[in-house]
Amino acid sequence: REQVLSAQPPTANAVAVFPFRYVGSNPEYAPLGRGLTHLMITDLSKLSRLTLLERERVQALVEELALNETGRVDPGTGARSGRLLRAGRVIQGSVGEAPGSTDLRLDAAVVDATSSSVVATGTGTDQLQQLFQLEKTVLFRLLDQMGMVLTPSERRAISERPTADMQAFLAFSGGLEAEDRGDYAAAEASYAAAVARDPNFAQARARRANSARAAQAQQVTPRVLAGLLPGSGLGGEETADAGRDRSPGSTGRGPILRTGIQVTTPSVGTTLTTRVGSNGPVSQAPTTRPTLPETLSSDNPSTPGGLLGTIIIIITRP
């Protein structure tokens, strides 16, 4: 849909921060690109006049377009990506060891998605332990060149640091990298290591909990979910709940899940909607493939069965 998306005007004041590339040689520092991207998005989100795109959404586009290491810093490629995301401006850059030094060098640029021109640049070099200060310095330079005047409270908010422990931030960055490749067990371990270093690292605690749930969900196969395997948790729960009320609005569980999906074999691209009504579950496989936003927006109380709950299964791969 690139031709259609490129013709649409960008969202007002929308900014997309692309994954910062690590261009050094120390594998321990490789995850810093993800960590700095997250840090910059977090800082910019404190400015209410800007609309920040989620890091995961931008990362998905980078992977879909298979942007190589060179293409991501090219203004033309950045502008193209910004138009696809409907972002007016794109921030991209790199981090790595400075030539002839053990210090880190951070380079960043702001690209206008409409004109493909570079509207701001920022560069800084400092020791790893001063990484947060380095990021703030470069970000303030970008904002100054963009003509954004910050209030004292906004400047203080951006100056806040997520943790005082750099090793905790490195572990946190490793968790982001593991999340992006779908390894939620490794992500949980990395976030746990960050929390162990700094128990007050709130973002690491929150992402550890989310990764733990995602890792647990990855272990649930469709057959287990349907309660078809002997000894599965859902199967046993169904037997225990056999006599419970399953009328609309009740909390009875039992065969609602099982009946709704056990005989269904979704094909690639099929969205299955199971609605629980007074006559039991009804499975509907639409003839056309709705997009995710359209599917989710249809799930509301005004839709028949919407008050009673909807299960949406989206198959992305065979």
Side-chain angles (χ1 to χ4, degrees), residues 155-235:
R155 190 169 288 272
R156 283 194 301 270
I158 291 177
S159 298
E160 293 178 355
R161 304 183 180 193
T163 177
D165 192 309
M166 188 51 58
Q167 293 303 315
F169 185 73
L170 276 171
F172 176 82
S173 301
L176 294 175
E177 190 175 61
E179 270 192 55
D180 287 341
R181 65 174 184 266
D183 190 344
Y184 294 103
E188 180 188 1
S190 293
Y191 294 137
V195 173
R197 294 276 312 187
D198 182 3
N200 295 320
F201 196 168
Q203 295 176 8
R205 291 202 312 271
R207 297 194 84 101
R208 178 184 63 175
N210 290 336
S211 294
R213 287 191 289 269
Q216 192 174 27
Q218 283 184 323
Q219 306 306 312
V220 182
T221 66
R223 284 173 59 82
V224 171
L225 182 62
L228 297 179
L229 293 180
S232 67
L234 290 175

Side-chain angles (χ1 to χ4, degrees), residues 238 240-250 252-256 276-278:
E238 177 185 335
D241 289 346
R244 294 175 63 178
D245 176 23
R246 297 184 185 90
S247 59
S250 73
R253 298 169 73 175
I256 287 178
V276 182
S278 58

